[in-house]
Amino acid sequence: MGKKPYQKKEDYFVSGHRACHGCGMALAVRHILRATGKEVIVVTPTGCLETFSSPYGFSPWRVPWIHHLFENGPSVASGVAAALKAQKQDSVRVLVIGGDGSTFDIGFGALSGMLEREDDVLYICVDNGAYMNTGGQRSGATPLFSSTTTEPAGKASMGKRQIKKDLPAIVAAHGIPYVATASSAYLRDLREKVKKAMTYHGSRYIQIDTPCPSVWGFPSDQTLEIGRLGVQCGLVPLFEMEEGQIKTIRKIKQKIPVESYLKPQKRFRHLFAGKGGSEALRQIQALADRNIEKFGLLN
Amino acid sequence: MSVVEGSEAVAMAIKACRPQVVSAYPISPQTHIVENLAKMVADGELDAQYVRVESEFSAASVVSGASATGSRAYTASSSQGLLLMTEVIYASAGMRLPFVITGVNRTISAPISIQVDHQDTMSLRDSGIIQLYVESVQEAYDTHIAAFKIAEDPKISLPVMVCMDGWILTHSYESVAYMGQEEIDRFLSPFEPEHFLDIKNPKSWGSYADDNVLMEFKYAVHQAMQDGKQRIREIFKELSLLTGRDYRGLVEAYRTEDADTIVIALGSVSGTVKESVDDLRSEGHQIGMVKIRCYRPFPFEDIWEAIKGARRIAVLDANISMGSEGAVGMDLKAKLYGLKNAPLLVDFIAGLGGREINKRALRNILQQLDTVGKKPPFLKEPNWVGLNPTLFP
Ligand code: SF4
């Protein structure tokens, strides 16, 4: 006695989907909708989330949800927002939840158009750093030296040659009121950011690091741990920008080497196998150090 | 009656239909339509959300999203813009989203050109969008008003594209009789779909479907088109009663009753063909024409009614399916195959990129029909009207 009885949270993303065990994205989406509540219409471009959440006849979505195409999530959402405005349904909010392929690559033009128009949409990118529902091909969000099926590591290659596109910065350059990064491993932080974003009108953007056990290659009970290591080593900085200014930063406890994050993942296995790996690891560590410096993650 | 530019007449029709969402991206010769609508919104004459998008791809996506949310939505495009919308239009038809697009006909690159032909809209013929072609500015005005009623009919629920020839119709001035707002409101009730994105009744749209059910979805779209023909006929009949202008049928038969030879055409060239028919009739030729008003769904029954007594048919196709023939010619041949007493049908590719089709060209077509009519024509088809042979060594 004394302890409050367990209260089941009202969920709007429930069972009935087909995500892999331990999918960080499915977890993130459940918490996104806990934060928004049910007065939302969700647009999801083609991608892992769409594929696993909409087998015809089954739906985990307890809010109105639409999938249209791969590259038009932002503009479909603009249409939904315009219709709601025309119908004077001011309390209903619009959400896009799309993967990194649709956000960083194929839908980038539509996203930029939506941001520039300041349409009243919260755009959330659930970012697993590659095209997962087609088997793990490289995207503009794929991190440096990750091995993907279209840019695999091999005798003559260390995998992806470029750094991840800095989308939060590009999005922020549109002058929108709220930009944030979050992680499936920090769910309370994630919910608070979504809640904060919902207090704004106009275009807002949140990018969530969602570990993918299947393609990153780690055991499916390690999702939270892998996500946490990504944040703690500095490769996944968590911050909020309001009105163009960095407002909050999630500090890291102590600097841990990037190896502890990369080593448990199959997509980085080649970095630990041969000689070239140490130089690659040095470059990745430099990226983490740069983040630690730039965002002041440590102090 | 007012003398107005075609684009303005279209904008007036759209305004009177009270769209709630309009999206716009510029491309010639479509621009005057959305510019007129923008001015109406700016002047407070049209109460609509006007979304200035960054591409035609998004223009179509915005009207899709708005339509799925239960709002009446409209956009217009042309040529490359329509091609850029292609993926969106296929998906919107699959999701049964009933918005209206004006497809201002213009040729497709390369070479880049802004002149008229039907290559752009014909490229969308398999997408599930209903296609209505118009001959005059008046017809463009009237047809747009019918278009929303057709699109939003619960039995149909598909996007509709009104196809009008660029420049020839959009930029010419004609006298147009506008309808009164009250009449239009009586004809076209507000858009109240049974299914839409509704927080009180959440549903999932655009789901993933495999071989267990996908084919049934496609069948449903096809059936909506097929069964829709009767609804479209009825709506056009209502439009005739309302306007006092003749919109009976999905096709218009002109002097076909006793015709031995019939020319089939779509769009603004129909006027020229009708005049030629009159000229040739006065010289003793038994000739008529059929104008296809509704191209998708394909109204073969109606065409057959008009052509079944004729001996030979010339189809004017302002488009070409590269490596085969013109789209309308192919459609008709497929339907005529195996029919008893099917007339001889010859496909002519005419008017690509704005190449003029005048009365002389039509006389040439008739002459060609005389020669090909004597031997099997299909070996050399299609016939290209007015091609300049000196450019080919
Ligand atoms: S492939 Fe990855 S992102 Fe997709 S459902 Fe599986 S775990 Fe989730």
Side-chain angles (χ1 to χ4, degrees), chain A residues 137-158:
Chain A
Q137 298 83 7
R138 170 207 199 276
S139 84
T142 301
L144 183 66
F145 298 131
S146 171
S147 180
T148 61
T149 56
T150 48
E151 201 172 5
K155 281 200 187 101
S157 166
M158 294 303 281

Side-chain angles (χ1 to χ4, degrees), chain A residues 18-26 48-49 52 128 132-133 210-216:
Chain A
R18 298 176 178 180
C20 313
H21 278 213
C23 173
M25 190 183 282
C48 230
L49 176 60
F52 74 63
N128 54 22
M132 295 318 184
N133 66 316
T210 58
C212 162
S214 307
V215 184
W216 292 13

Side-chain angles (χ1 to χ4, degrees), chain A residues 4-298:
Chain A
K4 270 205 230 145
Y6 175 70
Q7 279 269 316
K8 202 169 180 298
K9 286 259 175 13
E10 181 98 64
D11 269 322
Y12 307 106
F13 186 78
V14 299
S15 59
H17 61 74
R18 298 176 178 180
C20 313
H21 278 213
C23 173
M25 190 183 282
L27 184 64
V29 172
R30 175 143 55 99
H31 287 268
I32 290 166
L33 290 185
R34 275 188 187 170
T36 61
K38 62 180 172 192
E39 301 224 325
V40 291
I41 293 173
V42 178
V43 180
T44 296
T46 311
C48 230
L49 176 60
E50 163 269 326
T51 313
F52 74 63
S53 77
S54 75
Y56 180 71
F58 301 86
S59 178
W61 299 96
R62 290 276 184 275
V63 292
W65 176 86
I66 183 168
H67 157 251
H68 203 297
L69 295 167
F70 204 177
E71 63 276 49
N72 70 355
S75 29
V76 168
S78 293
V80 173
L84 291 172
K85 210 164 175 190
Q87 297 166 12
K88 310 211 164 25
Q89 290 209 58
D90 300 329
S91 62
V92 183
R93 310 299 301 275
V94 189
L95 214 60
V96 177
I97 311 179
D100 51 283
S102 58
T103 307
F104 284 62
D105 294 350
I106 193 169
F108 181 65
L111 173 64
S112 178
M114 184 201 93
L115 299 170
E116 186 271 335
R117 288 190 301 274
E118 304 174 357
D119 290 337
D120 192 7
V121 175
L122 169 56
Y123 192 103
I124 297 179
C125 172
V126 278
D127 170 21
N128 54 22
Y131 291 88
M132 295 318 184
N133 66 316
T134 37
Q137 298 83 7
R138 170 207 199 276
S139 84
T142 301
L144 183 66
F145 298 131
S146 171
S147 180
T148 61
T149 56
T150 48
E151 201 172 5
K155 281 200 187 101
S157 166
M158 294 303 281
K160 169 101 179 291
R161 278 168 300 167
Q162 298 84 9
I163 59 164
K164 185 184 184 91
K165 192 191 279 188
D166 188 358
L167 206 60
I170 297 168
V171 165
H174 288 77
I176 65 169
Y178 187 83
V179 176
T181 54
S183 159
S184 294
Y186 295 87
L187 290 166
R188 183 201 301 248
D189 177 77
L190 186 163
R191 286 194 304 270
E192 274 162 12
K193 283 170 176 165
V194 173
K195 274 194 190 129
K196 170 79 77 58
M198 294 291 282
T199 64
Y200 283 98
H201 283 269
S203 301
R204 295 138 286 146
Y205 178 80
I206 301 178
Q207 186 170 304
I208 304 175
D209 185 62
T210 58
C212 162
S214 307
V215 184
W216 292 13
F218 60 82
S220 58
D221 60 354
Q222 296 292 302
T223 306
L224 297 186
E225 180 59 10
I226 293 288
R228 198 185 63 80
L229 288 169
V231 172
Q232 292 300 325
C233 75
L235 283 175
V236 184
L238 302 186
F239 58 83
E240 283 181 295
M241 287 173 82
E242 289 176 71
E243 308 295 353
Q245 299 296 318
I246 296 235
K247 277 289 155 64
T248 69
I249 286 168
R250 186 171 194 96
K251 306 277 183 190
I252 58 180
K253 292 209 177 72
Q254 72 204 55
K255 188 169 153 182
I256 56 168
V258 293
E259 277 90 340
S260 25
Y261 170 58
L262 305 173
K263 205 163 185 182
Q265 302 182 44
K266 264 206 200 101
R267 61 177 175 160
F268 294 113
R269 191 167 48 190
H270 56 288
L271 303 182
F272 302 92
K275 261 200 279 157
S278 54
E279 168 55 19
L281 286 168
R282 200 193 55 73
Q283 288 187 40
I284 298 176
Q285 185 62 56
L287 286 178
D289 291 346
R290 206 171 73 190
N291 281 342
I292 291 169
E293 172 86 3
K294 177 176 163 197
F295 294 102
L297 296 177
L298 262 177

